[in-house]
Amino acid sequence: MISANNVTYRVGKKALFEDVNIKFTEGNCYGLIGANGAGKSTFLKILSGSLDTTNGDIAITPGQRLSVLEQDHFKYDAYPVMDVVIMGNERLYQIMKEKDAIYAKEDFSDEDGIRASELEAEFAEMDGWDAESNAAMLLNGLGIDTDLHYSMMSSLDGNAKVKVLLAKALFGNPDILLLDEPTNHLDLDAIAWLEEFLINFENTVIVVSHDRYFLNKVCTHTADIDYGKIQLYAGNYDFWYESSQLIIKQRKEANKKKEEQIKELQEFISRFSANASKSKQATSRKRALEKIELDDIKPSSRKYPYIDFRPEREIGNEVLTVEGISKTINGEKVLDNISFIVGHDDKIAFVGGNELAKTTLFKILTGEMEPDEGTYKWGVTTSQAYFPKDNTAEFDNDYTISDWLMGYSPVKDITYVRGFLGRMLFAGDDGVKKVKVLSGGEKVRCLLSKMMISGANCLIFDEPTNHLDMEAITALNEGMIKFKGVELFSCHDHQVVQTTANRIIEILPDGTIIDKITTYDEYLESDEMARKRTVYTSTATEEED
């Protein structure tokens, strides 16, 4: 168990948390939620001991091991992948290194023999002989190929490093597991594997995530941070939302009844206070009136943007034809003879573990990259708006937000442009901020403003939920569902894919595709996925043998 006791944390004069008391018990998974800036990551750092409280303390059951998902992707570049994962159990890793050092000695003494035997006993108790196979299972589950398990961390790309650090956090069955945005940069297959791992995990988990589907799948409890307090709910994210809305509704109804009672008492007092025969009753009602207190109902600190994509032109029957597109990047064939036709009602989710393949396809379809082979053709009634995964070039300039968006607006009117910015929570002086200093989430909201103002009838999204908070993801999800046009998108948020897509195209590791008119959940249960799982399972069994 881990608990916060009267915890207060101040930044300057502002209290981010004040007198927080909460217990996280064994066998439960807690989703820590709250608006951007509410202090979710800060609270995890306080629980882990990497950040000191202003007042109060954190208590952990003696002897329990705490594991944290680290965020520094370059910290272990000098180590092999397998070593990094096993470092998740620090004591076990120390034993392994000390044993290796003793056995490497040329002048092996009796004292060395005694020490080695002590280490071997402790090593066996900690299941050390299975450490590498257990680490390999975690890495394979997260999609790190076996041939990379003994590579140096420095040779991996960013997404693979994230997976290794996650495997490190999960390794060795920790008693308390703290995960800050574990699904970031994971593909949908890896997220599904992590969901199953956490559902079957028997110890304490505290997780911060903007993925609603993930929280609904894994969480037994929800801890909501709002206005410096943490309110605990039994249940997953959807249960928290329904419960919190019900509580607010009940408080408002209770206040309404109290207000009606107050009005009746005031009217009686006003009418009969001067009447001698009614004076006692009036006095009694004054006392009753003084005792009535309205509940203080604070509005949530959460803010929801308004995302509404409205196509200026209705799309025709001919939308997009892709014929035989192939592309090789750095010696890897990421797209191999891909062909498909897009209909005017299609909302297509592109899935699969090869992120580069999806991004490459989108770049080709938007004219940013040429295919090695094949062609594509957009219909004459179509207009496209593109959300790139890497938006660095888009904001490498000295424009203010207003001037930047004005450059894409068909109406050159500042009031018109600020209306779109206002929908995305850029209010007042925000419009004069330089785009180059914006946060990741602010840049994403700018790009969504650009897509809204374009009036395009074909939207292409490459991982649009990255850097967005829960409220913005919810608003984007609703905007994508309501859009009366064609959508081609990749997204790691399961709920966005499931509720938006009516067609799934999976890009396989060999660069070919599976194309199905279906929802995402139905696709996951389909024969194609079953065959893939069978191939994966048989391959894993052969490796173990």
Side-chain angles (χ1 to χ4, degrees):
M1 184 185 75
I2 182 169
S3 62
N5 306 307
N6 299 312
V7 165
T8 296
Y9 181 76
R10 295 184 180 277
V11 180
K13 294 182 179 180
K14 180 185 176 182
L16 196 56
F17 307 108
E18 196 156 20
D19 298 326
V20 169
N21 290 280
I22 189 169
K23 291 181 180 179
F24 302 99
T25 56
E26 186 176 349
N28 293 316
C29 179
Y30 298 85
L32 190 61
I33 65 172
N36 269 8
K40 301 182 292 294
S41 296
T42 299
F43 190 67
L44 283 190
K45 289 177 182 177
I46 290 171
L47 291 176
S48 71
S50 63
L51 195 62
D52 292 331
T53 64
T54 305
N55 291 304
D57 62 84
I58 302 299
I60 298 177
T61 302
Q64 291 200 335
R65 184 169 70 85
L66 183 145
S67 184
V68 180
L69 173 58
E70 297 181 71
Q71 303 297 322
D72 185 352
H73 301 164
F74 304 99
K75 181 177 179 180
Y76 299 100
D77 274 2
Y79 295 90
V81 168
M82 184 61 68
D83 280 26
V84 173
V85 178
I86 296 174
M87 284 179 192
N89 188 331
E90 186 177 356
R91 177 55 189 157
L92 178 61
Y93 185 72
Q94 289 173 348
I95 291 171
M96 291 174 67
K97 290 300 151 184
E98 188 175 351
K99 276 195 339 169
D100 290 346
I102 290 173
Y103 291 139
K105 286 184 176 182
E106 293 183 1
D107 52 343
F108 191 84
S109 66
D110 291 341
E111 289 78 8
D112 290 331
I114 294 171
R115 179 57 180 161
S117 114
E118 292 171 348
L119 291 172
E120 290 290 5
E122 190 175 356
F123 182 73
E125 286 179 9
M126 298 182 74
D127 200 22
W129 295 111
D130 292 326
E132 290 196 9
S133 62
N134 290 337
M137 287 176 63
L138 293 174
L139 291 168
N140 287 334
L142 289 168
I144 301 295
D145 292 337
T146 303
D147 57 1
L148 295 177
H149 291 186
Y150 293 91
S151 301
M152 298 301 291
M153 282 287 284
S154 58
S155 68
L156 303 186
D157 64 26
N159 288 352
K161 287 181 179 180
V162 170
K163 292 179 178 181
V164 174
L165 292 179
L166 180 54
K168 175 181 180 291
L170 303 178
F171 177 77
N173 195 36
D175 300 291
I176 300 162
L177 184 56
L178 305 183
L179 302 175
D180 191 357
E181 297 292 354
T183 62
N184 277 5
H185 308 292
L186 294 188
D187 56 78
L188 288 165
D189 288 341
I191 293 173
W193 180 90
L194 179 61
E195 287 167 357
E196 290 304 313
F197 181 93
L198 293 179
I199 288 169
N200 295 311
F201 189 72
E202 296 180 350
N203 298 329
T204 305
V205 182
I206 306 170
V207 57
V208 171
S209 177
H210 290 147
D211 189 326
R212 296 157 296 165
Y213 182 90
F214 176 78
L215 292 176
N216 280 328
K217 283 279 284 188
V218 305
C219 291
T220 60
H221 294 71
T222 301
D224 179 34
I225 303 179
D226 213 351
Y227 289 106
K229 302 294 182 182
I230 302 181
Q231 180 70 40
L232 189 62
Y233 296 80
N236 61 15
Y237 178 81
D238 282 350
F239 182 84
W240 159 80
Y241 183 80
E242 293 171 3
S243 298
S244 61
Q245 295 303 303
L246 179 60
I247 289 170
I248 292 172
K249 181 181 178 182
Q250 289 173 337
R251 287 179 177 175
K252 286 181 178 179
E253 289 175 349
N255 272 358
K256 185 177 180 181
K257 290 180 180 179
K258 289 178 182 179
E259 287 169 350
E260 291 172 353
Q261 187 179 2
I262 288 169
K263 184 179 179 181
E264 290 176 3
L265 291 171
Q266 287 173 337
E267 288 176 351
F268 186 93
I269 294 165
S270 175
R271 186 176 176 186
F272 295 110
S273 58
N275 188 321
S277 64
K278 298 280 189 178
S279 62
K280 286 186 178 181
Q281 294 179 30
T283 302
S284 174
R285 281 165 171 74
K286 283 182 181 178
R287 294 196 192 100
L289 182 61
E290 291 170 356
K291 292 179 180 179
I292 298 175
E293 293 184 5
L294 296 176
D295 290 335
D296 181 19
I297 305 175
K298 287 184 177 180
S300 173
S301 60
R302 293 173 171 84
K303 294 182 179 180
Y304 289 83
Y306 178 69
I307 298 178
D308 186 20
F309 304 107
R310 296 187 181 182
E312 288 186 355
R313 182 180 184 181
E314 187 175 345
I315 203 164
N317 289 326
E318 293 185 7
V319 180
L320 173 65
T321 301
V322 174
E323 293 185 353
I325 283 184
S326 296
K327 185 67 177 181
T328 298
I329 296 181
N330 296 327
E332 178 188 356
K333 197 161 195 176
V334 296
L335 301 173
D336 187 7
N337 195 29
I338 287 180
S339 299
F340 57 89
I341 296 174
V342 177
H344 68 277
D345 293 322
D346 281 345
K347 293 186 176 183
I348 305 174
F350 289 81
V351 302
N354 193 334
E355 303 294 309
L356 179 60
K358 289 176 280 187
T359 296
T360 299
L361 177 61
F362 292 151
K363 285 184 175 181
I364 289 172
L365 297 180
T366 55
E368 289 192 12
M369 184 181 289
E370 291 293 327
D372 296 335
E373 299 173 6
T375 61
Y376 67 92
K377 182 181 179 182
W378 288 99
V380 294
T381 63
T382 65
S383 56
Q384 301 84 42
Y386 175 44
F387 182 103
K389 180 187 291 186
D390 182 0
N391 57 44
T392 306
E394 187 77 63
F395 298 101
D396 186 18
N397 55 69
D398 289 319
Y399 290 132
T400 64
I401 297 176
S402 296
D403 289 342
W404 177 86
L405 187 58
M406 181 75 81
Y408 297 105
S409 175
V411 179
K412 303 304 179 183
D413 177 77
I414 190 63
T415 303
Y416 179 79
V417 169
R418 284 178 176 170
F420 283 89
L421 291 175
R423 295 176 191 176
M424 298 307 297
L425 307 180
F426 293 110
D429 293 339
D430 285 343
V432 299
K433 288 174 69 174
K434 299 284 189 179
V435 294
K436 65 168 54 176
V437 301
L438 297 179
S439 68
E442 288 173 326
K443 288 177 179 178
V444 170
R445 286 189 276 125
C446 278
L447 288 172
L448 293 174
S449 298
K450 172 187 170 184
M451 296 184 79
M452 283 193 289
I453 211 168
S454 73
N457 54 25
C458 295
L459 305 181
I460 303 174
F461 298 96
D462 192 359
E463 301 299 342
T465 61
N466 290 353
H467 306 293
L468 290 182
D469 60 20
M470 191 87 76
E471 293 70 42
I473 292 173
T474 300
L476 173 61
N477 194 176
E478 292 172 354
M480 292 176 71
I481 292 170
K482 291 188 300 182
F483 179 59
K484 304 296 185 183
V486 167
E487 291 174 329
L488 312 178
F489 68 98
S490 66
C491 184
H492 290 156
D493 188 296
H494 185 118
Q495 191 160 335
V496 169
V497 178
Q498 169 59 21
T499 57
T500 304
N502 55 21
R503 180 176 170 187
I504 304 295
I505 293 181
E506 179 175 10
I507 303 180
L508 301 173
D510 63 1
T512 60
I513 63 172
I514 297 173
D515 186 354
K516 288 288 183 181
I517 298 175
T518 181
T519 67
Y520 183 58
D521 284 348
E522 289 170 345
Y523 181 72
L524 292 177
E525 298 301 321
S526 66
D527 292 340
E528 286 81 2
M529 288 298 292
R531 281 195 292 272
K532 282 176 60 183
R533 283 191 290 268
T534 301
V535 170
Y536 174 81
T537 303
S538 63
T539 303
T541 304
E542 290 169 7
E543 289 172 355
E544 290 169 8
D545 292 344

